Amino acid sequence: MDEYFMKRALELAEKGEGCVNPNPLVGAVVVKNGKIIGEGYHEYCGGAHAEINAFRDAGRDLAGSTLYVTLEPCSHHGRTPPCAEAIVKNKIAEVVIGMKDPNPLVSGSGIKILSDNGIKVRIGVLEEEARRLNEIFIKFITWKRPFCLMKTAMTLDGKIATETGESRWISNEQSRAYVHEIRNKYAAIMVGIGTVLKDDPSLTCRQGEDEKEPVRIIIDSNLRIPLTAKVLNCRTPSKTIIAAVEGTDPEGIKRIEEKGAKVMLTPPIDGRVDFPFLMDLLGKENIDSILLEGGAELNYSALKSGIVDKVISFIAPKIIGGRNAPTPVGGKGVRNLQEAFMFENIKVKSFGDDVMIEGYPIINSSERKVE
Protein backbone atom coordinates (compact mmCIF):
# COMPACT_ATOMS: atom_id res chain seq x y z
CA MET A 1 0.00 0.00 0.00
CA ASP A 2 2.97 2.32 0.48
CA GLU A 3 3.46 2.71 -3.26
CA TYR A 4 -0.26 3.28 -3.79
CA PHE A 5 -0.39 6.19 -1.38
CA MET A 6 2.96 7.63 -2.54
CA LYS A 7 1.81 7.49 -6.14
CA ARG A 8 -1.21 9.57 -5.15
CA ALA A 9 1.09 12.05 -3.42
CA LEU A 10 3.19 12.31 -6.60
CA GLU A 11 0.05 12.93 -8.65
CA LEU A 12 -0.88 15.77 -6.31
CA ALA A 13 2.63 17.23 -6.48
CA GLU A 14 2.42 17.49 -10.27
CA LYS A 15 -0.44 19.96 -9.94
CA GLY A 16 2.04 22.59 -8.81
CA GLU A 17 4.07 22.48 -12.04
CA GLY A 18 4.78 25.96 -13.34
CA CYS A 19 3.49 27.62 -10.16
CA VAL A 20 6.02 26.86 -7.43
CA ASN A 21 9.37 27.72 -9.12
CA PRO A 22 12.01 27.81 -7.72
CA ASN A 23 10.49 25.71 -4.93
CA PRO A 24 10.10 21.92 -5.23
CA LEU A 25 6.97 20.08 -6.31
CA VAL A 26 5.59 18.34 -3.22
CA GLY A 27 2.48 16.28 -2.56
CA ALA A 28 1.19 14.84 0.71
CA VAL A 29 -1.42 12.30 1.75
CA VAL A 30 -2.66 11.61 5.30
CA VAL A 31 -3.79 8.02 5.91
CA LYS A 32 -5.63 6.69 8.95
CA ASN A 33 -6.97 3.19 9.41
CA GLY A 34 -5.99 2.42 5.83
CA LYS A 35 -7.97 5.28 4.30
CA ILE A 36 -6.97 8.68 2.94
CA ILE A 37 -8.37 11.41 5.17
CA GLY A 38 -6.48 14.39 3.80
CA GLU A 39 -4.61 15.46 0.67
CA GLY A 40 -2.56 18.49 -0.25
CA TYR A 41 0.21 19.85 -2.45
CA HIS A 42 2.42 22.91 -2.65
CA GLU A 43 0.25 25.15 -4.83
CA TYR A 44 2.35 28.27 -5.37
CA CYS A 45 5.64 29.82 -4.28
CA GLY A 46 5.16 31.39 -0.86
CA GLY A 47 2.00 29.43 -0.15
CA ALA A 48 1.39 26.71 2.41
CA HIS A 49 3.43 23.54 1.97
CA ALA A 50 1.89 20.23 0.96
CA GLU A 51 1.83 18.80 4.49
CA ILE A 52 -0.03 21.79 5.90
CA ASN A 53 -2.61 21.70 3.09
CA ALA A 54 -3.12 17.99 3.69
CA PHE A 55 -3.65 18.57 7.42
CA ARG A 56 -6.17 21.31 6.68
CA ASP A 57 -7.97 19.05 4.22
CA ALA A 58 -8.23 16.30 6.84
CA GLY A 59 -9.95 18.62 9.28
CA ARG A 60 -10.01 16.05 12.08
CA ASP A 61 -7.89 14.38 14.76
CA LEU A 62 -4.64 13.40 13.06
CA ALA A 63 -3.08 11.58 16.01
CA GLY A 64 -1.79 8.14 15.09
CA SER A 65 -2.09 8.66 11.34
CA THR A 66 0.55 8.09 8.64
CA LEU A 67 1.78 10.88 6.39
CA TYR A 68 3.01 10.12 2.89
CA VAL A 69 5.04 12.99 1.45
CA THR A 70 7.12 13.07 -1.74
CA LEU A 71 9.96 15.17 -0.25
CA GLU A 72 11.52 15.34 3.20
CA PRO A 73 9.53 17.80 5.36
CA CYS A 74 11.26 21.13 5.80
CA SER A 75 12.98 21.94 9.09
CA HIS A 76 13.75 25.64 8.70
CA HIS A 77 11.82 28.89 9.01
CA GLY A 78 11.29 30.45 5.60
CA ARG A 79 8.14 32.02 4.23
CA THR A 80 6.25 29.41 6.25
CA PRO A 81 6.98 27.61 9.55
CA PRO A 82 8.79 24.24 9.52
CA CYS A 83 6.56 21.37 8.41
CA ALA A 84 8.49 18.94 10.60
CA GLU A 85 7.31 20.82 13.68
CA ALA A 86 3.70 20.77 12.44
CA ILE A 87 3.94 17.01 11.98
CA VAL A 88 5.15 16.59 15.57
CA LYS A 89 2.45 18.93 16.87
CA ASN A 90 -0.30 16.95 15.12
CA LYS A 91 1.00 13.70 16.68
CA ILE A 92 1.54 11.91 13.37
CA ALA A 93 2.73 8.35 14.13
CA GLU A 94 4.65 7.61 10.94
CA VAL A 95 6.04 9.54 7.97
CA VAL A 96 6.82 7.84 4.66
CA ILE A 97 9.09 9.97 2.46
CA GLY A 98 9.79 9.69 -1.24
CA MET A 99 13.23 11.32 -1.15
CA LYS A 100 15.50 13.37 1.09
CA ASP A 101 15.76 17.10 0.57
CA PRO A 102 18.65 17.53 -1.91
CA ASN A 103 19.61 20.89 -0.41
CA PRO A 104 23.03 20.11 1.16
CA LEU A 105 22.39 22.71 3.87
CA VAL A 106 19.26 21.07 5.24
CA SER A 107 19.21 17.47 3.95
CA GLY A 108 18.31 15.07 6.75
CA SER A 109 17.49 17.71 9.36
CA GLY A 110 13.73 17.35 8.90
CA ILE A 111 14.04 13.59 9.28
CA LYS A 112 16.09 14.07 12.45
CA ILE A 113 13.41 16.25 14.04
CA LEU A 114 10.80 13.58 13.36
CA SER A 115 12.96 10.73 14.66
CA ASP A 116 14.00 12.67 17.77
CA ASN A 117 10.31 13.05 18.60
CA GLY A 118 9.56 9.35 18.36
CA ILE A 119 7.97 9.42 14.91
CA LYS A 120 8.71 6.40 12.72
CA VAL A 121 10.31 7.47 9.44
CA ARG A 122 10.73 5.47 6.25
CA ILE A 123 12.54 6.89 3.22
CA GLY A 124 12.82 5.94 -0.44
CA VAL A 125 9.33 4.84 -1.49
CA LEU A 126 9.11 5.55 -5.27
CA GLU A 127 12.30 7.55 -4.90
CA GLU A 128 13.20 7.41 -8.60
CA GLU A 129 9.80 8.84 -9.54
CA ALA A 130 10.15 11.51 -6.87
CA ARG A 131 13.58 12.53 -8.15
CA ARG A 132 12.39 12.66 -11.75
CA LEU A 133 9.46 14.84 -10.74
CA ASN A 134 11.83 17.31 -9.08
CA GLU A 135 14.73 17.16 -11.53
CA ILE A 136 14.57 20.93 -11.96
CA PHE A 137 14.67 21.62 -8.22
CA ILE A 138 17.46 19.11 -7.61
CA LYS A 139 19.71 20.71 -10.24
CA PHE A 140 18.98 24.26 -9.09
CA ILE A 141 19.30 23.74 -5.34
CA THR A 142 22.49 21.70 -5.77
CA TRP A 143 24.37 23.79 -8.34
CA LYS A 144 22.54 27.14 -8.30
CA ARG A 145 22.20 26.85 -12.06
CA PRO A 146 19.01 26.39 -14.10
CA PHE A 147 17.99 22.99 -15.44
CA CYS A 148 18.19 23.17 -19.25
CA LEU A 149 15.86 21.18 -21.51
CA MET A 150 16.70 21.24 -25.23
CA LYS A 151 13.71 20.74 -27.53
CA THR A 152 13.94 19.93 -31.23
CA ALA A 153 11.45 18.94 -33.93
CA MET A 154 12.58 17.25 -37.13
CA THR A 155 11.53 15.04 -40.02
CA LEU A 156 12.38 11.38 -40.51
CA ASP A 157 15.49 12.43 -42.42
CA GLY A 158 16.60 14.77 -39.63
CA LYS A 159 15.64 18.14 -41.10
CA ILE A 160 14.19 21.08 -39.18
CA ALA A 161 13.30 23.12 -42.27
CA THR A 162 13.44 23.00 -46.04
CA GLU A 163 16.37 24.30 -48.03
CA THR A 164 14.49 27.61 -48.39
CA GLY A 165 14.01 27.89 -44.61
CA GLU A 166 10.34 26.90 -44.39
CA SER A 167 9.68 25.14 -41.07
CA ARG A 168 5.98 25.65 -40.26
CA TRP A 169 5.06 23.14 -39.34
CA ILE A 170 7.36 20.17 -38.94
CA SER A 171 5.48 18.75 -35.93
CA ASN A 172 1.73 18.34 -35.60
CA GLU A 173 -0.77 20.24 -33.43
CA GLN A 174 -0.64 17.70 -30.60
CA SER A 175 3.14 18.00 -30.35
CA ARG A 176 3.02 21.79 -30.44
CA ALA A 177 0.33 21.86 -27.75
CA TYR A 178 2.53 19.69 -25.53
CA VAL A 179 5.48 22.04 -26.06
CA HIS A 180 3.36 24.95 -24.89
CA GLU A 181 2.46 22.96 -21.77
CA ILE A 182 6.18 22.53 -21.15
CA ARG A 183 6.73 26.26 -21.63
CA ASN A 184 4.24 26.90 -18.85
CA LYS A 185 6.30 24.67 -16.51
CA TYR A 186 9.69 26.21 -17.22
CA ALA A 187 10.83 29.55 -15.87
CA ALA A 188 12.49 30.70 -19.09
CA ILE A 189 12.71 30.11 -22.85
CA MET A 190 16.03 30.52 -24.66
CA VAL A 191 16.59 31.10 -28.37
CA GLY A 192 19.38 32.51 -30.50
CA ILE A 193 19.40 35.78 -32.38
CA GLY A 194 19.05 33.84 -35.63
CA THR A 195 15.60 32.65 -34.56
CA VAL A 196 14.56 36.20 -33.63
CA LEU A 197 15.78 37.66 -36.94
CA LYS A 198 14.10 34.89 -38.95
CA ASP A 199 10.81 34.30 -37.12
CA ASP A 200 10.37 37.23 -34.70
CA PRO A 201 8.70 34.95 -32.10
CA SER A 202 6.71 36.17 -29.09
CA LEU A 203 8.01 33.32 -26.87
CA THR A 204 4.95 33.04 -24.67
CA CYS A 205 3.36 29.92 -23.18
CA ARG A 206 0.05 30.54 -25.03
CA GLN A 207 -1.97 28.95 -22.27
CA GLY A 208 -4.23 31.95 -21.77
CA GLU A 209 -4.04 35.44 -20.32
CA ASP A 210 -4.09 34.18 -16.74
CA GLU A 211 -1.11 31.87 -17.18
CA LYS A 212 2.37 32.90 -16.15
CA GLU A 213 4.66 34.34 -18.78
CA PRO A 214 8.16 32.85 -18.97
CA VAL A 215 11.37 34.85 -19.01
CA ARG A 216 12.66 35.19 -22.58
CA ILE A 217 16.44 34.75 -23.02
CA ILE A 218 17.99 35.73 -26.35
CA ILE A 219 21.58 34.73 -27.10
CA ASP A 220 22.80 37.72 -29.10
CA SER A 221 26.58 38.04 -28.73
CA ASN A 222 26.88 41.32 -30.65
CA LEU A 223 23.42 42.85 -29.98
CA ARG A 224 21.97 42.50 -33.46
CA ILE A 225 18.40 42.36 -32.17
CA PRO A 226 16.12 44.99 -33.80
CA LEU A 227 14.33 47.32 -31.41
CA THR A 228 11.08 46.36 -33.18
CA ALA A 229 11.38 42.69 -32.14
CA LYS A 230 8.30 41.27 -30.43
CA VAL A 231 10.30 40.15 -27.40
CA LEU A 232 11.19 43.80 -26.76
CA ASN A 233 7.66 45.11 -27.34
CA CYS A 234 5.48 42.67 -25.41
CA ARG A 235 3.35 43.32 -22.34
CA THR A 236 6.26 42.34 -20.07
CA PRO A 237 9.52 43.52 -21.67
CA SER A 238 11.11 43.31 -18.21
CA LYS A 239 10.99 39.52 -18.65
CA THR A 240 13.32 39.68 -21.66
CA ILE A 241 17.05 39.07 -21.15
CA ILE A 242 19.56 39.65 -23.93
CA ALA A 243 22.84 37.77 -23.43
CA ALA A 244 25.83 39.40 -25.11
CA VAL A 245 29.60 39.47 -24.73
CA GLU A 246 31.63 42.00 -22.79
CA GLY A 247 32.82 44.92 -24.88
CA THR A 248 29.53 45.18 -26.78
CA ASP A 249 28.44 48.68 -27.90
CA PRO A 250 27.28 50.59 -24.73
CA GLU A 251 24.79 52.58 -26.79
CA GLY A 252 23.20 49.38 -28.01
CA ILE A 253 22.87 48.17 -24.43
CA LYS A 254 21.29 51.47 -23.42
CA ARG A 255 18.71 51.34 -26.22
CA ILE A 256 17.68 47.81 -25.30
CA GLU A 257 17.41 48.62 -21.59
CA GLU A 258 15.30 51.67 -22.43
CA LYS A 259 12.79 49.21 -23.90
CA GLY A 260 12.58 47.59 -20.45
CA ALA A 261 14.69 44.51 -21.18
CA LYS A 262 17.85 43.45 -19.35
CA VAL A 263 21.27 42.88 -20.91
CA MET A 264 23.60 40.29 -19.39
CA LEU A 265 27.26 40.28 -20.40
CA THR A 266 29.65 37.33 -20.30
CA PRO A 267 33.33 37.01 -21.18
CA PRO A 268 33.67 36.08 -24.87
CA ILE A 269 34.63 32.56 -25.91
CA ASP A 270 35.70 32.75 -29.54
CA GLY A 271 33.59 35.89 -29.75
CA ARG A 272 30.48 34.18 -28.40
CA VAL A 273 28.57 34.06 -25.13
CA ASP A 274 30.11 31.93 -22.36
CA PHE A 275 27.22 29.57 -21.55
CA PRO A 276 28.39 28.26 -18.16
CA PHE A 277 29.07 31.84 -17.04
CA LEU A 278 25.60 32.85 -18.25
CA MET A 279 24.02 29.96 -16.29
CA ASP A 280 25.63 31.32 -13.13
CA LEU A 281 24.17 34.76 -13.83
CA LEU A 282 20.72 33.34 -14.51
CA GLY A 283 20.88 31.25 -11.32
CA LYS A 284 21.49 34.42 -9.34
CA GLU A 285 18.28 35.78 -10.90
CA ASN A 286 16.43 32.78 -9.39
CA ILE A 287 15.75 31.30 -12.83
CA ASP A 288 15.65 27.59 -12.10
CA SER A 289 14.78 26.17 -15.53
CA ILE A 290 15.24 26.91 -19.21
CA LEU A 291 13.52 25.50 -22.28
CA LEU A 292 16.06 25.76 -25.09
CA GLU A 293 14.34 26.20 -28.45
CA GLY A 294 17.30 27.31 -30.48
CA GLY A 295 18.46 26.74 -34.00
CA ALA A 296 21.19 24.34 -35.07
CA GLU A 297 24.14 26.52 -34.07
CA LEU A 298 22.78 27.41 -30.63
CA ASN A 299 21.90 23.78 -29.94
CA TYR A 300 25.43 22.66 -30.79
CA SER A 301 26.99 25.39 -28.65
CA ALA A 302 24.75 24.45 -25.73
CA LEU A 303 25.59 20.75 -25.99
CA LYS A 304 29.30 21.46 -26.41
CA SER A 305 29.33 23.73 -23.33
CA GLY A 306 27.67 21.03 -21.19
CA ILE A 307 24.68 23.10 -20.04
CA VAL A 308 22.04 20.74 -21.48
CA ASP A 309 20.46 18.47 -18.84
CA LYS A 310 17.74 16.83 -20.94
CA VAL A 311 16.69 16.55 -24.58
CA ILE A 312 13.30 15.93 -26.16
CA SER A 313 13.06 15.48 -29.90
CA PHE A 314 9.84 15.32 -31.89
CA ILE A 315 10.08 13.29 -35.09
CA ALA A 316 7.41 13.81 -37.73
CA PRO A 317 6.59 11.22 -40.45
CA LYS A 318 7.85 13.47 -43.24
CA ILE A 319 10.90 13.51 -45.49
CA ILE A 320 12.25 16.80 -46.82
CA GLY A 321 15.62 15.92 -48.33
CA GLY A 322 18.11 18.46 -49.57
CA ARG A 323 21.79 18.47 -48.65
CA ASN A 324 21.53 22.10 -47.59
CA ALA A 325 18.37 21.72 -45.48
CA PRO A 326 19.22 22.46 -41.81
CA THR A 327 19.41 19.82 -39.08
CA PRO A 328 18.68 20.20 -35.33
CA VAL A 329 22.35 20.44 -34.34
CA GLY A 330 24.93 22.29 -36.42
CA GLY A 331 28.44 23.46 -35.68
CA LYS A 332 31.49 21.45 -36.73
CA GLY A 333 30.39 18.47 -34.70
CA VAL A 334 32.46 15.61 -33.34
CA ARG A 335 35.25 13.96 -35.30
CA ASN A 336 34.06 10.36 -34.99
CA LEU A 337 31.15 8.38 -33.58
CA GLN A 338 32.97 7.50 -30.37
CA GLU A 339 32.94 11.20 -29.49
CA ALA A 340 29.20 11.65 -30.11
CA PHE A 341 26.94 13.16 -27.48
CA MET A 342 25.34 10.12 -25.85
CA PHE A 343 22.05 9.84 -23.96
CA GLU A 344 20.47 7.47 -21.45
CA ASN A 345 17.17 6.83 -19.62
CA ILE A 346 15.41 6.99 -22.97
CA LYS A 347 11.62 7.26 -23.15
CA VAL A 348 9.43 7.26 -26.25
CA LYS A 349 5.96 8.77 -26.50
CA SER A 350 3.52 9.38 -29.37
CA PHE A 351 1.58 12.54 -30.20
CA GLY A 352 -0.70 11.56 -33.05
CA ASP A 353 1.64 10.48 -35.85
CA ASP A 354 4.62 12.25 -34.26
CA VAL A 355 7.06 10.39 -32.02
CA MET A 356 8.84 12.09 -29.12
CA ILE A 357 12.14 10.74 -27.80
CA GLU A 358 13.35 11.92 -24.39
CA GLY A 359 16.80 11.38 -22.96
CA TYR A 360 19.48 12.65 -20.59
CA PRO A 361 23.08 13.36 -21.64
CA ILE A 362 25.66 10.91 -20.34
CA ILE A 363 28.12 13.20 -18.60
CA ASN A 364 31.80 12.60 -19.42
CA SER A 365 30.89 9.49 -21.39
CA SER A 366 33.88 10.01 -23.67
CA GLU A 367 36.65 12.44 -24.52
CA ARG A 368 35.07 14.59 -27.21
CA LYS A 369 37.27 16.49 -29.66
CA VAL A 370 34.76 19.13 -30.68
CA GLU A 371 35.57 22.37 -32.45
Side-chain angles (χ1 to χ4, degrees), residues 139-140 143-149 190 217 219 243 264 266 273-290 292 298 302 305-309:
K139 168 69 180 292
F140 185 68
W143 300 102
K144 305 302 180 186
R145 283 184 174 184
F147 183 94
C148 184
L149 167 64
M190 178 186 289
I217 303 168
I219 306 301
M264 286 187 174
T266 80
V273 167
D274 181 332
F275 280 98
F277 189 93
L278 177 62
M279 293 301 108
D280 287 336
L281 294 179
L282 295 172
K284 292 175 182 177
E285 294 289 321
N286 236 21
I287 295 174
D288 69 346
S289 52
I290 296 172
L292 175 60
L298 178 59
S305 69
I307 68 166
V308 176
D309 297 292

Side-chain angles (χ1 to χ4, degrees), residues 29-38 54-55 58 60-68 87 90-96 119-120:
V29 172
V30 183
V31 176
K32 194 168 187 178
N33 299 323
K35 295 182 178 180
I36 295 176
I37 62 171
F55 294 162
R60 65 181 79 177
D61 181 19
L62 301 175
S65 61
T66 299
L67 173 68
Y68 289 83
I87 293 170
N90 282 283
K91 299 180 180 180
I92 302 297
E94 182 178 12
V95 178
V96 182
I119 297 173
K120 183 179 178 182

Side-chain angles (χ1 to χ4, degrees), residues 30-72:
V30 183
V31 176
K32 194 168 187 178
N33 299 323
K35 295 182 178 180
I36 295 176
I37 62 171
E39 297 183 333
Y41 67 97
H42 186 34
E43 299 176 9
Y44 59 92
C45 185
H49 288 188
E51 299 93 324
I52 306 305
N53 284 329
F55 294 162
R56 290 172 179 170
D57 182 55
R60 65 181 79 177
D61 181 19
L62 301 175
S65 61
T66 299
L67 173 68
Y68 289 83
V69 61
T70 57
L71 182 69
E72 176 184 354

Side-chain angles (χ1 to χ4, degrees), residues 82-217:
C83 291
E85 292 182 3
I87 293 170
V88 173
K89 181 179 179 181
N90 282 283
K91 299 180 180 180
I92 302 297
E94 182 178 12
V95 178
V96 182
I97 299 169
M99 62 173 285
K100 281 187 177 182
D101 189 332
N103 187 339
L105 298 178
V106 299
S107 181
S109 58
I111 294 170
K112 186 176 186 304
I113 290 175
L114 301 179
S115 298
D116 288 348
N117 283 274
I119 297 173
K120 183 179 178 182
V121 178
R122 286 186 290 125
I123 309 164
V125 175
L126 297 185
E127 181 174 0
E128 182 178 345
E129 290 85 344
R131 294 185 68 85
R132 183 66 61 89
L133 177 68
N134 267 312
E135 59 189 9
I136 289 174
F137 175 72
I138 293 170
K139 168 69 180 292
F140 185 68
I141 200 66
T142 304
W143 300 102
K144 305 302 180 186
R145 283 184 174 184
F147 183 94
C148 184
L149 167 64
M150 188 178 87
K151 187 275 295 183
T152 66
M154 62 183 178
T155 60
L156 284 175
D157 56 338
K159 307 296 184 181
I160 61 173
T162 66
E163 198 171 82
T164 62
E166 183 182 354
S167 60
R168 298 193 177 189
W169 294 102
I170 295 293
S171 55
N172 62 27
E173 289 186 8
Q174 295 102 309
S175 296
R176 299 198 300 275
Y178 180 69
V179 170
H180 289 302
E181 288 181 18
I182 295 175
R183 283 186 174 186
N184 192 46
K185 298 172 184 178
Y186 277 65
I189 301 172
M190 178 186 289
V191 300
I193 184 59
T195 297
V196 174
L197 294 176
K198 177 179 175 291
D199 300 327
D200 193 20
S202 299
L203 300 181
T204 60
C205 62
R206 300 184 189 176
Q207 295 292 308
E209 291 296 316
D210 294 331
E211 297 290 342
K212 70 153 191 173
E213 194 165 344
V215 175
R216 297 166 288 272
I217 303 168

Side-chain angles (χ1 to χ4, degrees), residues 338-353:
Q338 290 181 333
E339 298 157 1
F341 299 99
M342 302 294 290
F343 298 84
E344 60 186 353
N345 298 325
I346 303 300
K347 290 187 177 181
V348 179
K349 187 175 182 180
S350 296
F351 291 88
D353 291 333

